[in-house]
Structure formats: C-alpha cells, structure tokens
C-alpha cells in the first residue's frame, strides 16, 4: 500500500444475482491490489468466499471475479474512506472476517533522521485508517465475527532502522486490544505474518549493506528461500492460521505466525 494523494473513489458493484449462492463467508480485506492483500483475496475467492476489497489501485486480474466487490480508495482520505466503506458494505451486511492488511513501510533510517511528517504519514496509513474502518464496520446492526490486523514482528523486536514502521505497528497492536475490550462479540487479533516476498522486499533488498541495520542482511539472506514465500503461498498458510486464531488466542492479543504450533 504505497503512499499517495489519489482522491478519486471508484466503486465497482455487481448485481447480486451474479454472486454464487455457495460462498462460504463474507470477507473484507484492505490492500487487495498487490502483495499479501492480493494473495489473501485470491485465496479467499478460491475458497468460495464473497470478498469485499479496498485499495488505492485496482486489483487488476481479480476485478472481473464475480465474487469480488471492490472500491478504490486512498486510506488516508479519512472522510471519503468512511463513505466508501459504508457504500461497499451496507449496514445489514454481516462479516465473517475482516483483514486489515494495507500498510506502508516508510524509510529504513535512524529515528533522528526520520521527520515528523514521515511519522505522521505512517501513523495515518497503518493506524488511524484502521480506526476509521473499525468505527465504520463495527457499527450496529452489522455483526462482525472476526477481525485480524496484519501487524509485524517489528512491533516488538525494536530493530534499528525500522523506527516509524515499528512504532505504527506497536500502536496497531494496542488499537486492536482496545477495540477487543469494547467489542466482546467480535474476536480481534493482531497477526505478524512472517516473511513474505512482496514489493516491500524489493526496496529492502536493494539497499546497500549498512552495518547500522543488521536486520537487512538477515532479510536478504532469506529471500528466494522457503522462509520467505510469495504472497499467494503465504496467504494459504495464513488463512489456515486465521481460521484457528479464535481458539488459540484471547481476543485482542498480538501473535506471530512463526510462534504458533
């Protein structure tokens, strides 16, 4: 989910009679145009789910799918975000699963070299946009069974260079916990998905070696190995984990997929 200032909202709605009656779940996913969000949307569609997707760009090959309802939206345009989500999801539409996947990395740099504007943009995209979405989708009479916020190990490991991203993901973890306390009928969790080979890795692996940021060399060594699957392969594993989360962890908790049985 790259940054940007695109303000045009495009809502693609297909007639209900084109939906397959056999879909298993109603699933809402953010950031479906690329990377892990695209992989998750693809996996859910293949499972037979009805998918409601949102991202700044069109999800290309997924758009023609009869069980995808899609809206184009910049998550940092908060006023129009509320309207777009409300249009995509009429209030009577109950949701079995919400995956808050969209997010940005920002620059790998020391905190002293990270501007407040950069930090604000990270927080707007990775935290406050999710607050706006949660406030919209959790509004009665809609029932939401499960919410999964895609977090990161960076939220807890404090590696040098990941400052703004780490802060935003740590805040996302707490946001998830607070909403869990307020919504006892919905299971919420923050999930670190492990290493996934996406465009984010293109940026990270293209950076020159820097002794300040040891974690980058660790990432580079794992790319193109089984430890860093592509988005679609990672999505298959994550969906298996997501279906088990309500029985594995208390609502509101942060969990790293690499630490689950």
């Amino acid at each position: 989910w790259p940054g940007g200032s695109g303000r045009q909202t495009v809502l693609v709605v297909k007639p209900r009679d084109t939906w397959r009656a056999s879909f298993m779940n109603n699933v809402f996913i953010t950031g479906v145009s690329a990377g892990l969000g695209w992989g998750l949307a693809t996996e859910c569609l293949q499972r037979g789910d009805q998918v409601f997707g949102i991202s700044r760009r069109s999800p290309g090959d997924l758009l023609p799918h009869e069980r995808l309802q899609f809206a184009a939206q910049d998550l940092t345009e908060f006023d129009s975000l509320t309207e777009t989500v409300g249009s995509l999801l009429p209030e009577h539409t109950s949701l079995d699963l919400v995956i808050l996947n969209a997010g940005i990395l920002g620059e790998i740099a020391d905190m002293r070299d990270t501007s407040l504007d950069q930090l604000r943009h990270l927080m707007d995209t990775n935290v406050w946009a999710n607050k706006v979405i949660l406030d919209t989708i959790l509004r009665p009479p809609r029932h939401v069974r499960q919410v999964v916020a895609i977090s990161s190990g960076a939220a807890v490991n404090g590696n040098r260079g990941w400052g703004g991203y780490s802060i935003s993901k740590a805040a996302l973890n707490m946001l998830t916990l607070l909403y869990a306390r307020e919504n006892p009928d919905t299971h919420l969790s923050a999930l670190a998905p492990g290493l996934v080979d996406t465009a984010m890795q293109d940026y990270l692996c293209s950076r020159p070696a820097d002794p300040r940021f040891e974690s980058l060399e660790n990432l580079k060594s794992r790319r193109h190995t089984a430890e860093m699957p592509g988005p679609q392969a990672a999505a298959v594993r994550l969906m298996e984990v997501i279906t088990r989360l309500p029985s594995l962890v208390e609502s509101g908790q942060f969990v790293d997929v690499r630490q689950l049985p």
Side-chain angles (χ1 to χ4, degrees), residues 7-159:
R7 297 173 182 271
Q8 184 178 10
T9 298
V10 178
L11 180 64
V12 180
V13 179
K14 301 159 191 161
R16 286 183 179 270
D17 60 8
T18 67
W19 298 3
R20 292 183 183 173
S22 61
F23 66 79
M24 296 171 58
N25 293 305
N26 283 339
V27 182
F28 176 81
I29 306 174
T30 64
V32 296
S33 64
L36 183 59
W38 173 86
L40 290 165
T42 299
E43 174 64 11
C44 287
L45 289 169
Q46 290 179 351
R47 288 177 173 223
D49 296 335
Q50 173 66 45
V51 176
F52 301 89
I54 191 170
S55 56
R56 191 165 67 90
R57 296 189 180 94
S58 169
D61 59 328
L62 298 183
L63 196 57
H65 201 290
E66 62 182 5
R67 278 180 283 106
L68 174 69
Q69 301 292 302
F70 171 73
Q73 173 68 45
D74 185 332
L75 264 67
T76 62
E77 300 290 337
F78 297 145
D79 291 340
S80 59
L81 176 58
T82 298
E83 180 180 350
T84 298
V85 174
S87 298
L88 184 66
L89 298 170
E91 64 179 16
H92 66 273
T93 305
S94 294
L95 294 169
D96 298 286
L97 175 62
V98 172
I99 304 179
L100 302 175
N101 161 78
I104 58 174
L105 173 65
E107 296 291 327
I108 298 297
D110 281 337
M111 283 299 296
R112 62 175 173 267
D113 299 320
T114 304
S115 70
L116 286 176
D117 283 342
Q118 290 175 298
L119 293 173
R120 289 189 189 101
H121 186 52
L122 280 161
M123 292 296 290
D124 282 349
T125 306
N126 294 354
V127 184
W128 305 134
N130 289 318
K131 173 184 164 30
V132 172
I133 292 171
L134 288 170
D135 288 343
T136 304
I137 65 174
L138 292 174
R139 187 176 301 141
R142 178 182 294 112
H143 174 67
V144 179
R145 183 168 58 87
Q146 183 181 6
V147 175
V148 176
I150 299 299
S151 184
S152 171
V156 296
N157 60 31
N159 285 334

Side-chain angles (χ1 to χ4, degrees), residues 202-247:
D202 292 340
Y203 162 71
L204 292 170
C205 293
S206 68
R207 289 182 56 91
D210 189 324
R212 296 177 300 167
F213 310 134
E214 294 181 3
S215 60
L216 286 181
E217 299 310 308
N218 184 31
L219 283 173
K220 292 176 184 179
S221 69
R222 297 186 182 188
R223 200 174 194 191
H224 307 306
T225 72
E227 294 182 74
M228 189 184 293
Q232 198 160 4
V236 173
R237 180 188 181 195
L238 283 179
M239 287 306 300
E240 293 174 352
V241 169
I242 285 170
T243 58
R244 297 165 51 213
L245 282 177
S247 64

